[in-house]
Amino acid sequence: LHCLDNYSRGLIMVNLIDFDMLFGHRNDPRGYARALEEFDRELPSIISRLGENDILILAADHGCDPTTPSTDHSREYVPLLIRGERLRSGVDLGIRSSFADLGQTIAEAFQVGPLEVGQSFWDLIAGEA
């Protein structure tokens, strides 16, 4: 929230490592659930600070199910939610072939690509529906 209040342009990247480090790898589903609920309560504050050209991307870098017997990474598929006032809503991005697709999409949005790997889905989400 501090970054959204104090920076008007550029890329803000926030790593919510507690989900992984404190709950996923510690097999603590109750703690994980509480952390998700806490984040969900803050989400309206985040969204209310977004400008008309801003894009919010919520993703994970890997899966780590706190209910599995192992403390290792346990899932290959991760959520990807994208919101922006100028983006199409309700777009099903399907199962992407690589997490690099997100990086390629961000590079295209910032007009700094293309990168060496990944397939951008910018054309699917750019522009109002």
Side-chain angles (χ1 to χ4, degrees):
L1 296 176
H2 171 80
C3 290
L4 288 171
D5 289 340
N6 290 284
Y7 298 97
S8 61
R9 53 182 294 146
L11 175 69
I12 299 171
M13 195 283 193
V14 178
N15 184 359
L16 304 176
I17 191 141
D18 286 359
F19 288 103
D20 185 44
M21 184 180 66
L22 298 181
F23 309 117
H25 287 297
R26 303 284 184 267
N27 291 23
D28 181 358
R30 287 188 177 92
Y32 198 98
R34 283 191 303 272
L36 282 174
E37 289 169 348
E38 182 180 345
F39 181 78
D40 283 349
R41 284 191 297 275
E42 293 298 323
L43 199 50
S45 292
I46 295 168
I47 291 171
S48 72
R49 286 170 166 80
L50 297 177
E52 69 176 324
N53 294 315
D54 292 337
I55 299 170
L56 174 66
I57 301 171
L58 300 174
D61 61 342
H62 58 75
C64 192
D65 185 338
T67 66
T68 61
S70 171
T71 58
D72 292 334
H73 301 158
S74 52
R75 304 207 183 232
E76 294 181 21
Y77 299 116
V78 296
L80 174 61
L81 302 169
I82 304 173
R83 184 197 187 282
E85 193 172 312
R86 294 190 168 191
L87 299 181
R88 291 185 184 104
S89 62
V91 175
D92 181 353
L93 297 173
I95 297 174
R96 308 302 304 180
S97 62
S98 171
F99 192 59
D101 291 358
L102 179 56
Q104 190 69 259
T105 302
I106 293 169
E108 187 172 351
F110 276 93
Q111 299 177 340
V112 296
L115 304 176
E116 291 183 29
V117 296
Q119 182 177 356
S120 174
F121 51 82
W122 181 246
D123 61 327
L124 299 174
I125 62 171
E128 298 177 55

